[in-house]
Structures are given as structure tokens and as C-alpha cells.
Amino acid sequence: MTARRLSTPPDIPGYRYRELLGTGGFADVFLYEQVGLGGRKVGVKVLLEGLRADAQQAFEREASVMAKFSNHPNIVSIFDAGMAPDGRAFLVMEYCPPPHLGAMVRSRPFPVAKALDVIIQIAGAAETAHAAGILHRDIKPANILFTEFQRPALTDFGIAASTSGGHDGRAVGVSVPWAPPEQLSADRPMLPSGDVWSLAATLSTVLTGRSPFYIQGAANDNMSMGQRIVSGQLPPLRRDDVPESLENVIRVAMNKRPDQRYPTALEFARALQQIQLQLRYPMTVADVRTEQSEYRPDDDEDAGGTRFEGFVDIDPDSRPSRSLSTSPTCLLYTSDAPDDRSSVDLGGSRTHKKKQQKNSTDRSSGCLIKSQSRTPDQVRATHIIHTTISQRSTTRGGKR
């Protein structure tokens, strides 16, 4: 099979071409500089000519979906989209220098600590997309880039689909080695748990340098690997520094039955955070943007005053009733009703949710989740202990 000819970088008003960054089946990515803004570097993804209509639709879908999540710290930002003078569609994206995650781990797998850190962040990105009704359907190492500040960022939402269900998992351009069994079947719907499978498969690759069902010396074409994914047993990682608890988390996330996996990317992230606790690693934040609530002007009637919301009294002399290394519980509070809380078992065995999570952080229990928000109402969303400090504050000791 001969390599296709590289496309010519288009002339795009306001941008100056610099070099080729990468190639793909449907598009090439080039480095440009943005004229008039100090020569800001941007990645420009240009659709190839002569493609089928479904490829064009996927490209347009990617622009729409990624623009919706452009402010997420772990999703590649989209700055612009349009049609070049020669008729080719393009996306102007945040510049993420090569290499991508897949190329990084091919020759040198990541240490466990770094692998957990990266995948927890990407799980937060996937959860944010799921909360907005979007399945990625192509999470894999090659679709995880790194920003100039070395933050992992998920890209390529070209085959994304609605989480509303009813459609089958198959899609144009599916990446077989990291795809869940239902995505390789004609009559099985794909749900958020399908992206959970792909997150776990990506974690496996980051730890081993190969896709989960790759077998040395065996046939590893898409057909053979697809058969192993659908009916074969998941091979062990075979790394001495990977604890059995982490192998078990991956096995649960890659269960053949979707209903036996972690139901959400956030539950998967929490399970990995628990591994971080067990191994005494720093805990990684999973950034999750919840749906925006309606802003009410009367919410500001106490502006300038002090309010304390979601109080928790912590007795420094008391000890938790059970060890954090088993299955700690995280209490999440919302600003609307401090008494309305969610109890979440980090091992994934118990979840009770009443309201959407706002900015929630609980280091002591082993749960670290940060929810992004935009509206004034959401900016005031409480943490587990949240205060808005101003002149009319009232403390336990009296008036401030």
C-alpha cells in the first residue's frame, strides 16, 4: 500500500503557514501563525479533497462539538472554522506540539503515577462531554495531545454521537484496538460505558506500550484483534509495579458487558483516584463541567454580605470510621441546598445522587472533582466548605 500524497497547505486569511504537523485518513494538520496577535501558534486541520459526504459531515460535527467544550482544560480548544479560498474546510485549533500520547508510550511506557494522572484528566473531559449528551467514540492514545503547558488534551470528536442511545456503536473511522465490543457489532448500542472501555484500554496502552489485545507473534490486524475484543480474555499487563487493584479497575472498566463496567467516566476516574491514594501519589483533579443553571438576579440580593453554605464541622480528634484505602465516601454539596448531598463510593459500588455536582473537592475522603461553571450562579457554587467573605460576615466567634 503506497502512502497518499500530502495535501498542500491552503492560504488562509489572517494566518501564516509554518510546517506540517501530522497526517490522517481524512485530514492533514499544519502549524500556522496567527497574524496580528503576536504570531500565536495554532494548529490548522484541513479536510482532504474528494472525500465522501460522511467524512465531510464528521468534520463539521467535530467543529461543532469541540467548540462547545473549548474552555475545558483537557479538551483541545477550537478558535475558528471556515472554508479556505480553494474550497477546503479547515479548523483552527489550540497548538499542541508533537508527539501525541500514542507516540510517547510506544517505546517507553509511562510510570504508573504519570499514567494515572493523564487518564484521570481525560476521564474528566469525557465526563464533561457525556454530561452534555456527547459520546466521543474514538478515545485512544493518538487522540490525546499535550498542550504547550504539558496538560493532556482530548481531540478528534469526528465520530462523536449523541448519548441518547438507539444508534449502534459502529462509526466511520473506528479505531479497533481501543474500541469496546459493542462498537464492533451491528446491533448493539453504545453508551457512555463504551467510552469508559476506551479510557481503560488507553490506560492499558500507556502502561504497556501496546494496545490491550495485541499479542506478540500473533495476527494483529483489525479483524483478528476485533475477534479477541469481542470474545477473547483480556491479557494481563505483566508489570511488576502495577498493583492488582489497578489491574482490577481496568478489568472492570473493560468488562464485555457494558452494564458490568463503571457506568460513567467520572466513576472510573474516582476508582483511579483511589489507586492514587493507595499508592500515596498526589491526587489528580478530574475537571467536570456541569450543565449551566439559570441565573436569577435575586441571587445577588445579598451581594456585599457574608454567607456560609454547606458547613461541615470537623473534629480533629476524631478518626474516620473506616480506612481510606478500602472504599471511602465523598460528600458533594451544592450551593442551592447545602443539605442536599451526594454520597459516592470511590470503589464504584455505591452511588447516591440527588442534584448535579457543582465545584466539589474532598481531599480527606479521597475524592477530588472540580466542576467548571460560567454563570454567576455557578461561580458561587460551594465547595464542601464554602464561604463568600465580605463585610457582613458572621463567624463562630462573633461578628467580623
Side-chain angles (χ1 to χ4, degrees):
M1 180 178 177
T2 58
R4 68 168 174 82
R5 197 175 162 189
L6 293 178
S7 62
T8 303
D11 291 325
I12 303 175
Y15 298 93
R16 183 184 304 114
Y17 168 72
R18 284 305 180 197
E19 61 182 86
L20 174 71
L21 290 177
T23 63
F26 302 103
D28 289 333
V29 182
F30 303 96
L31 175 63
Y32 280 72
E33 288 181 352
Q34 192 165 5
V35 179
L37 284 179
R40 177 175 70 168
K41 293 180 179 180
V42 294
V44 178
K45 187 173 185 177
V46 182
L47 190 67
L48 300 178
E49 295 178 308
L51 297 179
R52 298 182 330 212
D54 54 2
Q56 176 72 40
Q57 292 168 0
F59 194 81
E60 294 171 358
R61 186 186 308 115
E62 178 179 12
S64 175
V65 170
M66 291 185 69
K68 182 182 295 186
F69 306 124
S70 277
N71 66 327
H72 192 285
N74 300 113
I75 295 178
V76 175
S77 295
I78 293 290
F79 301 141
D80 197 6
M83 197 75 69
D86 62 8
R88 285 180 290 167
F90 66 87
L91 301 178
V92 180
M93 307 180 296
E94 174 183 12
Y95 172 56
C96 294
H100 56 66
L101 179 60
M104 285 183 177
V105 303
R106 193 171 297 131
S107 58
R108 180 175 293 184
F110 278 4
V112 174
K114 188 172 182 179
L116 292 172
D117 178 65
V118 168
I119 299 303
I120 288 171
Q121 292 182 69
I122 297 301
E127 178 70 18
T128 296
H130 295 167
I134 299 296
L135 293 175
H136 188 282
R137 299 205 297 175
D138 198 22
I139 297 175
K140 61 181 180 179
N143 283 340
I144 298 174
L145 310 180
F146 288 85
T147 70
E148 292 183 287
F149 297 94
Q150 288 304 298
R151 290 203 65 155
L154 185 61
T155 190
D156 202 344
F157 283 76
I159 64 171
S162 170
T163 59
S164 59
H167 56 80
D168 64 49
R170 293 182 305 171
V172 176
V174 61
S175 301
V176 173
W178 299 274
E182 61 270 25
Q183 196 171 12
L184 304 178
S185 305
D187 56 351
R188 297 176 64 185
M190 183 172 167
L191 301 173
S193 58
D195 277 349
V196 170
W197 168 292
S198 297
L199 284 166
T202 297
L203 174 57
S204 174
T205 301
V206 172
L207 290 169
T208 64
R210 62 182 185 276
S211 60
F213 288 89
Y214 178 90
I215 298 178
Q216 186 71 34
N220 290 295
D221 57 278
N222 282 344
M223 178 71 72
S224 301
M225 200 168 292
Q227 291 174 348
R228 291 197 286 269
I229 289 171
V230 171
S231 58
Q233 186 174 359
L234 180 66
L237 297 180
R238 294 189 177 91
R239 262 187 68 160
D240 293 339
D241 60 339
V242 173
E244 178 62 26
S245 55
L246 178 51
E247 290 238 27
N248 186 59
V249 167
I250 293 175
R251 281 195 293 267
V252 171
M254 297 183 68
N255 195 296
K256 306 291 186 189
R257 294 178 52 184
D259 62 347
Q260 296 299 308
R261 301 173 198 153
Y262 298 100
T264 67
L266 185 55
E267 291 295 325
F268 178 59
R270 287 172 178 153
L272 296 181
Q273 286 175 332
Q274 178 65 14
I275 302 299
Q276 289 182 316
L277 278 181
Q278 174 193 332
L279 298 177
R280 300 183 182 276
Y281 294 154
M283 180 143 341
T284 301
V285 172
D287 288 286
V288 177
R289 191 182 79 191
T290 58
E291 288 298 301
Q292 295 185 14
S293 59
E294 182 180 356
Y295 171 62
R296 300 184 300 275
D298 60 347
D299 284 341
D300 283 339
E301 63 183 8
D302 193 35
T306 299
R307 302 196 311 177
F308 294 87
E309 301 175 285
F311 263 116
V312 176
D313 288 332
I314 301 176
D315 183 354
D317 297 325
S318 66
R319 293 181 177 273
S321 59
R322 55 177 175 162
S323 168
L324 294 181
S325 64
T326 54
S327 188
T329 297
C330 175
L331 297 179
L332 308 180
Y333 291 76
T334 67
S335 59
D336 310 74
D339 292 331
D340 186 27
R341 61 199 70 180
S342 301
S343 175
V344 183
D345 187 299
L346 298 184
S349 60
R350 186 179 73 254
T351 307
H352 304 292
K353 297 181 181 178
K354 292 184 179 179
K355 302 197 73 171
Q356 287 185 344
Q357 298 157 198
K358 302 290 184 180
N359 290 342
S360 308
T361 309
D362 182 5
R363 292 179 182 272
S364 64
S365 70
C367 181
L368 188 52
I369 304 160
K370 184 168 68 176
S371 297
Q372 295 181 326
S373 49
R374 291 180 177 176
T375 67
D377 180 56
Q378 290 177 312
V379 169
R380 294 166 54 241
T382 61
H383 294 281
I384 287 191
I385 304 176
H386 171 73
T387 60
T388 306
I389 300 177
S390 56
Q391 296 178 349
R392 285 165 44 183
S393 69
T394 304
T395 67
R396 281 183 156 185
K399 298 195 177 202
R400 181 183 285 257

